[in-house]
Amino acid sequence: NRAAQAHRQAGSLFKPFVYLAAFEASRTGGQPSMTPASLLADEPVTFESDHGTWSPQNYDKQFRGNVTLRSALEQSLNVPAVRVAKAGGIQPILDVIRQLGVTTAMTSDLSLALGSPAVSLVDMVTAYGTMANGGIWVRPTGLRAASAREGATLWTATPERRQAVSPQAAYLVTSLLEGVVRRGTATKAKVLGLTGTIAGK
């Protein structure tokens, strides 16, 4: 079952979780207020760790100075995401990832912000589905219902559900992901003929 058993590095799919954790912390007073319009520094930076120094780079090896959080996610910039993770701490991001339904073992260093863990497809679909569902997590199920040959319903799934993250933070991240499709790294989705309001990464 490749959806549940095959694992691969998530990469930039984790960046929305970094910003989601920051929005949640802002709501509860856990860190300075952060919004999609907050300015983040996209400049060279070096972090110390148990494994030595680490200087994250953007995919194009360029730096853009101060950028809005919205632009940072739309352009999938690595440095601002790592800076936000450093400022807010790794544990809140891990907590958000777990609340969204990701069950895979996680690293606990700054590389988490850039999606270093290997995760399953079903975990990622569950996490993104939770954000799209107003922050409500629903346990994935392979069957919706079972019926008799004559059409009578024999069984209907009643998936477990809970409010995983706030509707406000989920809305903000979904709005950011709409920008990723409109102006950012996922604009090619429009070439595939997708229409209407689409959020993606």
Side-chain angles (χ1 to χ4, degrees), residues 127-188:
Y128 271 71
T130 300
M131 292 188 292
N133 197 32
I136 299 173
W137 169 84
V138 179
R139 183 181 296 281
T141 179
L143 294 174
R144 184 175 294 175
S147 59
R149 180 181 303 175
E150 299 80 15
T153 299
L154 303 175
W155 170 84
T156 302
T158 307
E160 179 186 352
R161 60 178 59 218
R162 58 177 166 75
Q163 190 75 49
V165 295
S166 70
Q168 296 90 339
Y171 173 83
L172 288 176
V173 173
T174 301
S175 172
L176 294 176
L177 292 174
E178 289 175 11
V180 172
V181 177
R182 286 189 189 130
R183 297 174 293 274
T185 54
T187 52
K188 288 184 179 178

Side-chain angles (χ1 to χ4, degrees), residues 1 5 23 50 58 68 77 87 93 96 102 121-122 129 136 146-147 171 180 186:
N1 184 339
Q5 295 174 320
F23 293 149
D50 295 338
N58 293 318
T68 63
L77 301 179
I93 301 171
V96 159
V102 178
L121 175 62
V122 71
I136 299 173
S147 59
Y171 173 83
V180 172

Side-chain angles (χ1 to χ4, degrees), residues 38-77:
S38 295
L39 289 178
L40 306 176
D42 182 26
E43 300 169 344
V45 63
T46 298
F47 298 103
E48 298 288 340
S49 73
D50 295 338
H51 307 291
T53 60
W54 178 48
S55 300
Q57 299 284 326
N58 293 318
Y59 66 94
D60 60 1
K61 308 297 183 184
Q62 302 295 315
F63 297 98
R64 295 158 179 79
N66 286 334
V67 296
T68 63
L69 187 154
R70 179 178 291 279
S71 179
L73 184 57
E74 287 179 356
Q75 301 306 318
S76 198
L77 301 179

